[in-house]
Amino acid sequence: MKKVININFQGQVIAIEETAYELLKQYIESLKRYFSREDGGDEIVNDIENRIAELFGNRLKLGINCITDEDVHSIISSIGRPEDFDTEYVESDYIGGRSASGHSNTAMGADHSEPATGREGSSHTLYRNSNDKVIAGVCSGLAHYFKLDPVWMRILFVILSSALFWVYIILWIILKSKPLETNVARRLYRNPNNRILGGVCSGIAANLKIETWIPRLLFVVPLFVNMIGMVSMPFFPWSRFLDDIDFNWGINMSVVVIYAVLWVIIPRANTVKQKLEMMGEEEYIKSIRETVSDNVASVKSRTDETPGKVAVGSMPPEPPKQRVAKSASNGAVVGSGSGGCLNALGILFKILFFAFAGIFALTMIGIVIAFLVAGTSFVPLKSLFIDHGYENSLMWLSAGLLFAVPLIAVVVWIIRRSVKAKSRPLIGIVAIILWIGGVITASLLGFKVAEKFSVESSTEKVETLAGFNGNKLYVDMAVYPNDYYSFNRGIGSDFDLDDFPYYTINKDSLLFSNIELLIVQSPDSLYRVRTISSSAGKDLKVARKNTESFTYPLQLRDSLLLLPEFFSVPISQGFRQQGMIVEIEVPQGKKIEIDERLDDYDDFETNSSVYRKLRKNRKNKVLDWDYDEEYILENGGLHKTVRFEDSM
Amino acid sequence: MRKGVLEYCILAIIRRNEAYPGDIIDEMKSAGLQLLEGTLYPLLNRLKNAEILTYRWVESTSGPPRKYFILTEKGEEFYQLLEATWIELSSGVEAVVKANYKKADNESNTTEQ
């Protein structure tokens, strides 16, 4: 009992046994492979298929229900298997016969420029290969000479490009160009049948007989990991877990460049023969068998719905006539070797485009992942810049549009691409519009946030150290009573503590060490501490109000003045570039020493107008000094007391 | 078959009357010359590419449309050339072989004597 399927063969509906169909399919594939070497091989196969269809038609006319294995066998033996063909006629051609006749042969076209004799000799002479070239075919010709895969030769030339550049140029000049046949059985090609981006990985996989995803992974993983690492670097303490880890653009670019170079130097497997060389013959035949059985399976599932033998009488009345038109255009054979340089340029542009698109997409994914990873520590920080309500929702909206839309678009694109769905430009347009919407809301938010820094104001407080009458003031730091290191420092860990303007967010206040310590001369005989608080704000009123709520308690114990480690502001203020200048006024003839610990203050550096104004208005000159040195103020300057003693 | 001879036969058939590959195969077979379709089709294709042959489509009742091949002017020229070569060759071969026969005859005569 055998299953019978209906096939559409050259415009004819043919009932055929499944096994016979498989035989036929394999046979035709073998023909295709055989004739792929020849100009117009497709047409030959097509003609033979026509002939087979006709023979089938004749069989079916005799009243036989369907085509059997035997029918196919007899047809195959009448047409002949590729190995039975008179190879003489395939390898050479009638020109051989004609020139043997000894007459002049001007009448016939000279389209067969590859006489059989040239083939044996050419492997021992160095030529440039015009059949397979990227620039001028030098590498390909060299590879042919040494019986190597041209790709290796090209890789060698690319790696040693500085040394071999002139060699290439000279060989380009002195070597003659000649179309050469490949002389290696197995070669690296790009696989056009299974490709995402040029088919480089797929080709490598086919060459090494490994799964396609392995080389793909090898390319994508470093790029992806590096991308995520780069993006999440500020948010996530990678360096804590891994030593010597570094993410940078160099890695991205080198991956992209390697891929691009491979894309350019590996030729595409266009013909069936090249695909054979790419996969190795057995693999290729296996893959054909697989596709055949896949086809059969799909046909089977369709025929299963209408079981039993299929009626034969369903022949089309007249075959379609459009073949005439087709035959006219058969003469045009696409020149594969022409414009190699231009081709390479086009490919380069394509690579660049995809590289940037890919990097962009990966960056987006990385940012989203980084958000997820570092989100918990990032979110509280948000409140320092962004108010609740309107601004908050604006932020989430723009974050969603900016990051999620491209991410979803890329994922959708990949899915649609992998299921080979028709491209729908509308999806892209909508995604772009949404993304632009995200850009607009983000810049709106940016303006809103920037507005909060638009005005700066300051408050000046002067505290006279009334209870102190000694000759020397020792200034030290009052260490913050709590261990602020255990607090959440907000953003990331890669920042050095001192690089960050504020340290910690405890529940109700922000702590800043953004303080500049100055010493000036007191106008009278009293020590004074002047604190100038500065803050930005939406308007002057807000900024001024901010500065008034700074807390910076001074403690005086005999001759010891303790300055707090931080000044603190209410957390409701948010980060508004708060800073403070602490000026200690020292009277004439009195001494001062400042402890090294106060070096921990981050000097308040801002080019704010407030700061400049304060400096200008101050009558007293700012004096130079060092930590842990005793100074005496004399003649409008600070002098080291130690040096004094030394010189005396 | 030797190079050129097959072309000569095919062109001869087509020259007589336009023919489609099935006809050519049948005629060759009936003349006792074994020819596979797999050999014929590429040959026809190459002759067509060399503008020795051209073809037209003819509807068929028993299958897809058929390609009927016709000799072009260039093909006619080529045919003449092949014919001349063939005559030259065959007469040459015949002369050589005949001489052989005569010699063989002579030898047999002498041994009998």
Side-chain angles (χ1 to χ4, degrees):
Chain A
M1 199 170 76
K2 280 186 174 174
K3 188 168 268 173
V4 173
I5 56 177
N6 262 348
I7 57 169
N8 183 343
F9 191 67
Q10 296 292 318
Q12 300 236 84
V13 175
I14 307 251
I16 183 166
E17 281 179 0
E18 204 182 306
T19 48
Y21 166 73
E22 230 161 293
L23 266 174
L24 179 67
K25 187 93 186 171
Q26 277 179 31
Y27 174 64
I28 286 171
E29 288 296 343
S30 74
L31 287 181
K32 276 185 185 158
R33 219 172 325 125
Y34 183 78
F35 288 120
S36 67
R37 277 175 260 184
E38 194 154 343
D39 237 18
D42 293 344
E43 198 186 347
I44 297 171
V45 174
N46 196 45
D47 287 350
I48 292 178
E49 280 181 22
N50 266 333
R51 174 71 174 160
I52 295 170
E54 190 174 4
L55 293 171
F56 280 163
N58 290 341
R59 292 288 304 164
L60 293 171
K61 259 191 194 160
L62 296 175
I64 296 161
N65 277 337
C66 67
I67 303 296
T68 62
D69 289 2
E70 287 150 42
D71 292 329
V72 173
H73 276 305
S74 73
I75 283 170
I76 288 174
S77 65
S78 103
I79 292 173
R81 290 188 179 277
E83 54 268 28
D84 305 330
F85 293 164
D86 217 338
T87 45
E88 217 175 27
Y89 289 101
V90 176
E91 289 299 326
S92 74
D93 46 30
Y94 68 94
I95 282 181
R98 194 187 59 210
S99 46
S101 69
H103 291 259
S104 72
N105 44 13
T106 47
M108 293 359 125
D111 51 345
H112 297 269
S113 57
E114 202 184 311
T117 47
R119 205 163 296 162
E120 293 106 43
S122 53
S123 66
H124 302 297
T125 325
L126 199 51
Y127 290 102
R128 285 190 289 117
N129 188 353
S130 62
N131 268 352
D132 178 10
K133 61 177 182 180
V134 174
I135 299 170
V138 171
C139 288
S140 180
L142 278 171
H144 188 271
Y145 185 78
F146 294 112
K147 298 200 170 160
L148 283 171
D149 187 334
V151 171
W152 298 120
M153 200 53 85
R154 288 183 193 136
I155 288 174
L156 185 78
F157 268 79
V158 167
I159 291 172
L160 303 175
S161 55
S162 53
L164 294 176
F165 176 76
W166 290 110
V167 174
Y168 193 98
I169 297 292
I170 288 165
L171 287 177
W172 190 347
I173 293 166
I174 60 172
L175 291 184
K176 265 193 269 175
S177 178
K178 185 172 183 173
L180 299 171
E181 286 288 308
T182 324
N183 56 0
V184 283
R186 216 171 150 72
R187 284 191 51 183
L188 192 55
Y189 281 104
R190 287 186 288 115
N191 186 354
N193 295 355
N194 181 12
R195 69 192 170 105
I196 292 177
L197 238 186
V200 172
C201 290
S202 177
I204 291 170
N207 189 264
L208 300 175
K209 295 196 179 182
I210 51 175
E211 293 286 329
T212 316
W213 59 264
I214 297 170
R216 275 188 191 147
L217 212 63
L218 285 178
F219 270 102
V220 170
V221 162
L223 195 63
F224 189 71
V225 167
N226 181 51
M227 205 72 77
I228 289 174
M230 261 171 59
V231 172
S232 61
M233 192 69 115
F235 309 112
F236 196 73
W238 293 106
S239 49
R240 241 184 240 174
F241 307 115
L242 303 156
D243 290 336
D244 295 332
I245 190 155
D246 185 25
F247 303 109
N248 55 50
W249 281 100
I251 297 172
N252 291 347
M253 285 334 282
S254 48
V255 171
V256 170
V257 164
I258 288 171
Y259 193 93
V261 167
L262 287 177
W263 189 336
V264 172
I265 65 175
I266 301 176
R268 215 175 91 139
N270 286 322
T271 66
V272 180
K273 188 179 170 233
Q274 288 169 339
K275 281 172 194 164
L276 275 172
E277 287 166 359
M278 177 180 74
M279 290 182 163
E281 202 148 352
E282 298 147 45
E283 290 297 311
Y284 188 70
I285 289 166
K286 209 168 89 188
S287 91
I288 288 172
R289 200 172 301 141
E290 271 161 23
T291 37
V292 169
S293 50
D294 281 355
N295 287 347
V296 171
S298 68
V299 173
K300 211 186 289 175
S301 65
R302 252 178 284 148
T303 47
D304 278 348
E305 289 162 22
T306 54
K309 292 202 171 183
V310 185
V312 191
S314 54
M315 286 242 264
E318 271 298 298
K321 199 156 172 158
Q322 76 263 23
R323 313 208 149 261
V324 185
K326 192 186 156 198
S327 68
S329 64
N330 263 340
V333 181
V334 184
S336 58
S338 65
C341 231
L342 215 69
N343 252 347
L345 209 70
I347 289 170
L348 206 71
F349 274 118
K350 211 170 159 191
I351 291 168
L352 277 180
F353 172 76
F354 276 109
F356 280 113
I359 288 175
F360 179 74
L362 284 171
T363 311
M364 286 300 162
I365 294 169
I367 287 174
V368 168
I369 290 173
F371 255 117
L372 294 178
V373 169
T376 46
S377 60
F378 189 73
V379 165
L381 202 75
K382 161 180 81 76
S383 63
L384 300 181
F385 298 93
I386 291 165
D387 297 340
H388 289 288
Y390 170 68
E391 280 180 18
N392 198 21
S393 35
L394 203 64
M395 188 205 77
W396 288 116
L397 182 69
S398 52
L401 290 176
L402 274 181
F403 301 129
V405 166
L407 186 67
I408 292 167
V410 167
V411 169
V412 165
W413 181 75
I414 289 169
I415 291 172
R416 289 178 65 85
R417 174 102 203 216
S418 58
V419 302
K420 299 205 167 87
K422 261 190 189 170
S423 69
R424 279 235 203 99
L426 191 67
I427 296 174
I429 291 168
V430 169
I432 287 170
I433 288 172
L434 284 175
W435 191 76
I436 289 172
V439 172
I440 291 169
T441 52
S443 34
L444 239 154
L445 186 67
F447 277 124
K448 279 271 169 201
V449 172
E451 204 185 19
K452 293 174 182 171
F453 293 87
S454 57
V455 179
E456 285 176 335
S457 178
S458 62
T459 314
E460 203 173 315
K461 282 186 199 159
V462 183
E463 202 168 326
T464 311
L465 304 179
F468 177 64
N469 293 318
N471 279 331
K472 184 189 167 190
L473 185 70
Y474 191 85
V475 186
D476 199 352
M477 177 187 277
V479 179
Y480 193 74
N482 297 330
D483 180 11
Y484 53 84
Y485 277 95
S486 66
F487 292 153
N488 190 342
R489 274 184 295 132
I491 261 190
S493 66
D494 287 316
F495 290 99
D496 197 326
L497 264 177
D498 298 329
D499 292 342
F500 218 57
Y502 55 91
Y503 279 160
T504 175
I505 309 158
N506 66 16
K507 289 222 164 60
D508 49 6
S509 55
L510 286 173
L511 301 177
F512 289 85
S513 63
N514 198 14
I515 300 168
E516 187 172 13
L517 190 60
L518 302 170
I519 298 177
V520 295
Q521 186 175 359
S522 170
D524 46 35
S525 61
L526 288 172
Y527 283 101
R528 281 195 199 83
V529 177
R530 184 199 302 263
T531 57
I532 303 152
S533 322
S534 150
S535 169
K538 194 167 65 184
D539 51 47
L540 260 176
K541 211 170 131 194
V542 173
R544 190 161 187 86
K545 214 176 126 223
N546 282 349
T547 58
E548 279 162 5
S549 51
F550 284 19
T551 323
Y552 188 70
L554 305 173
Q555 295 171 60
L556 185 66
R557 290 184 200 148
D558 296 332
S559 65
L560 179 68
L561 174 69
L562 292 173
L563 301 178
E565 191 175 355
F566 306 107
F567 69 89
S568 70
V569 304
I571 201 160
S572 59
Q573 252 181 41
F575 176 75
R576 297 291 182 275
Q577 225 178 337
Q578 290 96 332
M580 189 179 255
I581 300 169
V582 176
E583 276 182 357
I584 300 175
E585 295 186 359
V586 182
Q588 171 77 16
K590 299 278 173 89
K591 292 174 186 166
I592 186 162
E593 184 173 346
I594 294 169
D595 194 272
E596 178 95 53
R597 280 202 284 183
L598 286 168
D599 200 14
D600 279 356
Y601 279 166
D602 294 331
D603 291 342
F604 172 46
E605 277 173 28
T606 168
N607 51 4
S608 76
S609 53
V610 176
Y611 185 64
R612 266 185 277 131
K613 195 181 81 187
L614 281 173
R615 285 211 142 175
K616 265 185 209 159
N617 288 356
R618 191 166 37 225
K619 285 176 194 115
N620 302 328
K621 203 174 95 192
V622 177
L623 304 169
D624 290 331
W625 51 274
D626 267 319
Y627 295 103
D628 274 346
E629 296 269 7
E630 197 187 53
Y631 287 97
I632 185 158
L633 195 130
E634 273 177 340
N635 306 327
L638 285 172
H639 300 282
K640 284 183 186 171
T641 53
V642 181
R643 200 176 59 193
F644 246 104
E645 281 158 13
D646 280 351
S647 60
M648 272 170 75
Chain B
M1 270 200 261
R2 283 298 307 158
K3 280 174 190 165
V5 179
L6 185 56
E7 282 90 338
Y8 183 43
C9 296
I10 290 166
L11 290 185
I13 294 167
I14 293 170
R15 186 167 177 258
R16 203 179 320 132
N17 214 338
E18 60 172 16
Y20 96 106
D23 292 340
I24 299 171
I25 295 269
D26 290 344
E27 186 155 354
M28 292 290 279
K29 267 184 189 160
S30 63
L33 294 166
Q34 188 61 35
L35 178 62
L36 293 173
E37 265 110 329
T39 312
L40 177 65
Y41 278 93
L43 191 61
L44 287 173
N45 185 56
R46 258 174 275 141
L47 290 170
K48 184 208 77 188
N49 286 344
E51 292 167 21
I52 286 165
L53 293 178
T54 180
Y55 62 85
R56 63 189 186 89
W57 290 99
V58 174
E59 289 289 340
S60 152
T61 48
S62 65
R66 296 165 167 180
K67 270 181 183 172
Y68 270 85
F69 285 89
I70 311 153
L71 218 58
T72 60
E73 264 177 49
K74 215 170 164 184
E76 180 65 37
E77 242 173 84
F78 183 52
Y79 177 78
Q80 300 294 345
L81 210 136
L82 280 176
E83 195 173 39
T85 315
W86 176 250
I87 290 167
E88 203 175 293
L89 187 72
S90 60
S91 60
V93 168
E94 215 167 306
V96 170
V97 173
K98 257 181 193 163
N100 208 11
Y101 278 131
K102 276 176 189 166
K103 198 183 170 193
D105 283 347
N106 291 343
E107 273 175 15
S108 61
N109 290 341
T110 47
T111 45
E112 269 173 37
Q113 283 174 354

